Amino acid sequence: MKIEVDADRVAREIDALAAITDAEPPAVTRVVFTEQDLRARAWLKERCAEAGLAIREDAVGNTFIRWEGSRPDLAAVATGSHIDAIPNAGKFDGVVGVLGGLEAIRALRRIGFEPERSIELIQFTAEEPTRFGVGCIGSRLLAGVLGPEADEALRGSDEQTLRAARTSAGFAGDLASVRLPQGYYSAFVELHIEQGPILEREGIAIGVVTNIVGPASFFITLEGRGGHAGGVLMPERHDALCAAAEMIVRIEELAKVSGSVDTVATVGICEVHPGAINSIPSRVKLGGDLRDTDGKRRDRVLAEIKAAAERIAQQRQIQITTQMLNADDPAASLPQVLEAIERGCEEEELRSRRIVARAYHDSSFMAQIAPMAMIFIPCRGGVSHRPDEYASLEHIVGGVKVLARTLAELSHAH
Ligand code: HGY
Ligand code: MN
Ligand code: MN
């Protein structure tokens, strides 16, 4: 079977999608349920309709693009990713898996391949945590990791509940209906840029993901005592921002000394109140992200972070509260999917290596209801979540060909 990919069309479509953004190009900002997100969804559905595929959306906006197989009685095989983008991001994160999945299906249809199992492309809602503070909302609800209580429990940065945001975006219906049962899909494969430097550094075209790190995220709120920057002498101060600075450095240190390079921690949000140059900060809100391939080690570092917060609160006589947003297990790929990807690489004569995914993905949650594995392609300098994020068309085409072969193999009834 020879797979031909329409590379120019894929490149045009990636650029067309990138032009639907709330940021100044080449940056891409496309936050879930914003006007740009809805425009991007509509654009994608047009492309899928042109390809003759059936389209359905669920109550949270997960979009299912289906190629009916000859055995509709059998569980479908699925692929997919996301098209939402954090502020000031690039144009490949997630998009390569959605548009690459669409092209993989078109390529198989062009050569007259007839799947026994249906093949379904999924565009997941809200893979990024930007609006609701936690990522992968669509795939969490689909896999049952989040339940319908999320409708009221999740509030966006604009204070809108998930229910209000999704219904005003046109996605009504009972959130409980999003959940799909174990076995609904026979396998799930996601194509994605590596968002790390290894494949490029080693000159390898395809990464076959063995496991995905377990992500945890949290807010830490520090309440001190504000006051006049001139009138309050140093011994009387309870400066929330100085406490936050100590907290940030301690979080970094705890990740560095965890005993493994696989532990990573980031404080990506620091909101200072009142934020005036001549006023002692009274309140600071930190947003933290802690990940590890080993869930137990991650949770141990998390406990150490909480203990550090208590010590700093005591020493500085301020209030520190920690609010957990999520703490998810690492996900493991299953051999039957992973080996199908490796066979696809051999057939395409593309060098591959097994690799850990250090970003989380919708695959992290799809792994809870179906055998999962991921296909990575290199990205320049390992850069992602930045406007200069870049994957070469050659690598994208290679990833699409391997995905097409993997889907073809997994769509056999056996
Ligand atoms: O943060 C992540 O790992 C993903 O890009 N949302
Ligand atoms: Mn991302
Ligand atoms: Mn992504």
Side-chain angles (χ1 to χ4, degrees), residues 121-137:
L121 169 63
I122 308 170
Q123 177 256 315
F124 294 97
T125 284
E127 191 273 350
E128 297 293 2
T130 311
R131 182 163 184 175
F132 292 99
V134 66
C136 297
I137 293 175

Side-chain angles (χ1 to χ4, degrees), residues 45-62:
K45 287 189 288 185
E46 282 167 16
R47 303 293 76 72
C48 296
E50 280 166 7
L53 299 167
I55 302 166
R56 81 172 179 89
E57 292 168 315
D58 69 14
V60 78
N62 291 320

